[in-house]
Amino acid sequence: MTADLESVDRAVLNAFQGGFPVVEHPFGPAADALADHGIDVTAEELLDRVQRLDDEGVLTRFGALINAEAIGGTATLVATHAPPERYDDHAELINDHPEVAHNYEREHPHLNMWFVLSVADEARVDAVLADIEAETGEETYNLPKQQEFHVGAKFPVEGPQTQAVDCSDAGPEVTPTDRRSLTAAELDLVLAIQDGLPITATPYADVAAEIGADTEWVVETIKRFDEEGKVRRVGAIPNHYALGYSENGMTVWDVPDDVVNEVGPAIAEFDFVTHCYERPRHEGVWPYNFFAMTHGRSEEESQQRIQQVHDRMSQYWDIGEDDWDTLFSTRILKKTGIRLDERARANAETATEP
C-alpha cells in the first residue's frame, strides 16, 4: 500500500504520529506547522487526506492513544505452550476470555503462544490464568512489566518530513495533577475517545457534543491527560502492516541484573525499537529478562535492526549465544486492543467531581 501513497500523504504520516494540536480547530495549526517544514497544504486539504488515509486502512485510528495502565487496572504479557496438533483449539479457548486483548503465534520451540491479559483488578490475573491452565492443560508463564524503558510505536515511511512535527504545546495552559482516579465526566471522555476522534474540522467539539460537555473542558482535559501520561500521544495511529512493516520481531535478552538500568535507556534510544521492557525470568523455562520489540519492512531490514541492538548490548556485557533470542510472530490469533471500558469504570467508581 505504501507505493500508492502520495508525497504529502507520506509527510502527514511522518509528521503527525504524535504531537497533533489539541485546540478547537486543530487542522489549521497542523497545516501551518507542515508549511514551516516546506509542505504546502491547507487545513481543508490536510483534513481530507487524514480522512482518506483512515478510509483506506492506512490508519488504525486518529486521535488520542490512551495509556491504559495510567487510568486503572493492569495488563500483563503471558506465554504458554500449545501442542501443534491442538494449536487452533488451544487458541480458541484462550481467545474466548474477554480479558485477552492480543494473542500471537510466535516462533519458539516451546513457548509458541503469547497473549496480553488486560483486567480492571490486578487480583483477577491469577484467577484468569488458572482458568486458562485448567481449560488447556498447559502451564502459563506470567511476564508482567517490571520497568518500562520505552513505548512508542511509530512507523516512518520514505518521503518528505521524516521527522515528527510536535504541536502538543498548542492550546491552553493546563496544570497536571497526580490524581489517578477518574471523575464521572473524565470517564465519559475516555470511553468516547478510546477508539479515536471524529475526523472532522472540529473533533474535540464533536466529542464534547457527544458527551454533553463544553468544548473548552474537553480540550483542556485531553491536553492535561497528555501531560499527565494518561494519553501517550495525540495524532495519526498507523496500521503498520499497511505501511509494509510485516516483520515483527520480539528480541529477548538475559541481561545481567547489575546493568539492566544502563542497557534499558541505551536500547530505548533506537527509533525502530517500539517497546522496551524489563520482565521477570522463569527458572528452567524462560531465562530472559529484557524485551525489545522491533519492526522491519523486510527480513533483511529486520535482521539489520536486531544486529544494531546486539551491537549496542555488547557494549555493556559479553553476550553469549544462549543469552538472547528473537521470536518472530507468524500469525495474529486475536487483536481486539486493550478495552478500557471495565478498567476505566472501575477506576471511576469512587472518584468525585473536582
Side-chain angles (χ1 to χ4, degrees):
M1 187 175 287
T2 51
D4 299 328
L5 292 175
E6 298 178 12
S7 176
V8 176
D9 292 335
R10 293 169 181 268
V12 170
L13 285 169
N14 287 334
F16 292 123
Q17 290 189 38
F20 204 76
V22 184
V23 296
E24 185 170 355
H25 297 87
F27 285 90
D32 291 342
L34 282 177
D36 290 341
H37 290 79
I39 309 298
D40 187 17
V41 62
T42 67
E44 292 76 16
E45 290 169 341
L46 178 57
L47 172 60
D48 288 344
R49 287 181 182 275
V50 173
Q51 288 173 330
R52 178 170 49 78
L53 290 170
D54 185 65
D55 290 341
E56 293 176 352
V58 179
L59 302 182
T60 58
R61 65 185 182 279
F62 172 81
L65 185 61
I66 303 293
N67 180 357
E69 193 171 34
I71 65 163
T74 192
T76 189
L77 179 66
V78 183
T80 189
H81 171 71
E85 67 277 9
R86 295 190 290 111
Y87 196 93
D88 289 345
D89 293 338
H90 195 109
E92 186 174 347
L93 289 170
I94 290 176
N95 292 347
D96 279 347
H97 288 268
E99 297 89 349
V100 173
H102 302 161
N103 193 2
Y104 288 87
E105 180 179 13
R106 290 192 177 276
E107 295 175 338
H108 189 269
H110 182 62
L111 299 180
N112 54 2
M113 188 176 292
W114 293 74
F115 57 93
V116 173
L117 203 64
S118 174
V119 293
D121 181 358
E122 188 173 357
R124 282 278 298 148
V125 170
D126 289 343
V128 174
L129 293 183
D131 288 343
I132 288 174
E133 290 183 351
E135 293 164 2
T136 63
E138 296 288 343
E139 190 168 355
T140 60
Y141 299 93
N142 188 15
L143 297 158
K145 176 177 62 179
Q146 295 181 314
Q147 286 195 77
E148 176 184 302
F149 296 107
H150 176 69
V151 176
K154 298 182 181 180
F155 301 94
V157 293
E158 287 84 1
Q161 194 48 47
T162 56
Q163 298 299 312
V165 175
D166 189 357
C167 298
S168 57
D169 287 340
E173 293 291 327
V174 296
T175 303
T177 73
D178 58 3
R179 177 170 52 83
R180 289 186 57 84
S181 61
L182 300 173
T183 67
E186 290 170 349
L187 169 64
D188 289 342
L189 177 59
V190 166
L191 298 183
I193 68 175
Q194 66 174 339
D195 291 324
L197 294 169
I199 305 178
T200 66
T202 56
Y204 307 108
D206 293 345
V207 169
E210 178 186 343
I211 65 175
D214 293 333
T215 301
E216 182 179 3
W217 179 85
V218 168
V219 167
E220 290 178 351
T221 303
I222 292 177
K223 189 172 183 202
R224 175 170 58 81
F225 278 4
D226 192 22
E227 294 193 13
E228 291 173 351
K230 292 184 176 71
V231 165
R232 290 194 182 275
R233 64 182 187 272
V234 179
I237 314 299
N239 176 351
H240 61 275
Y241 292 105
L243 297 182
Y245 286 87
S246 57
E247 297 293 317
N248 171 340
M250 185 174 73
T251 62
V252 292
W253 309 79
D254 182 13
V255 178
D257 293 337
D258 60 347
V259 297
V260 166
N261 289 334
E262 295 178 78
V263 168
I267 301 305
E269 289 178 354
F270 286 117
D271 58 6
F272 55 79
V273 172
T274 59
H275 301 76
C276 188
Y277 302 113
E278 180 187 6
R279 298 186 185 275
R281 303 176 179 91
H282 283 269
E283 188 174 354
V285 178
W286 186 254
Y288 309 109
N289 64 331
F290 191 93
F291 289 60
M293 183 70 71
T294 64
H295 295 262
R297 287 160 289 192
S298 66
E299 185 176 347
E300 180 182 10
E301 181 179 62
S302 187
Q303 293 295 344
Q304 288 173 346
R305 291 178 168 184
I306 292 168
Q307 185 61 50
Q308 286 180 263
V309 173
H310 184 283
D311 291 345
R312 183 163 294 181
M313 285 275 192
S314 66
Q315 298 174 17
Y316 294 88
W317 96 99
D318 186 16
I319 304 173
E321 285 188 15
D322 296 333
D323 288 339
W324 70 288
D325 198 359
T326 302
L327 281 67
F328 285 99
S329 65
T330 53
R331 193 165 32 137
I332 300 173
L333 304 171
K334 183 178 183 180
K335 188 166 185 169
T336 60
I338 292 179
R339 303 305 304 165
L340 303 176
D341 306 52
E342 182 185 359
R343 290 173 63 167
R345 286 193 178 96
N347 199 32
E349 286 178 351
T350 59
T352 57
E353 294 294 340

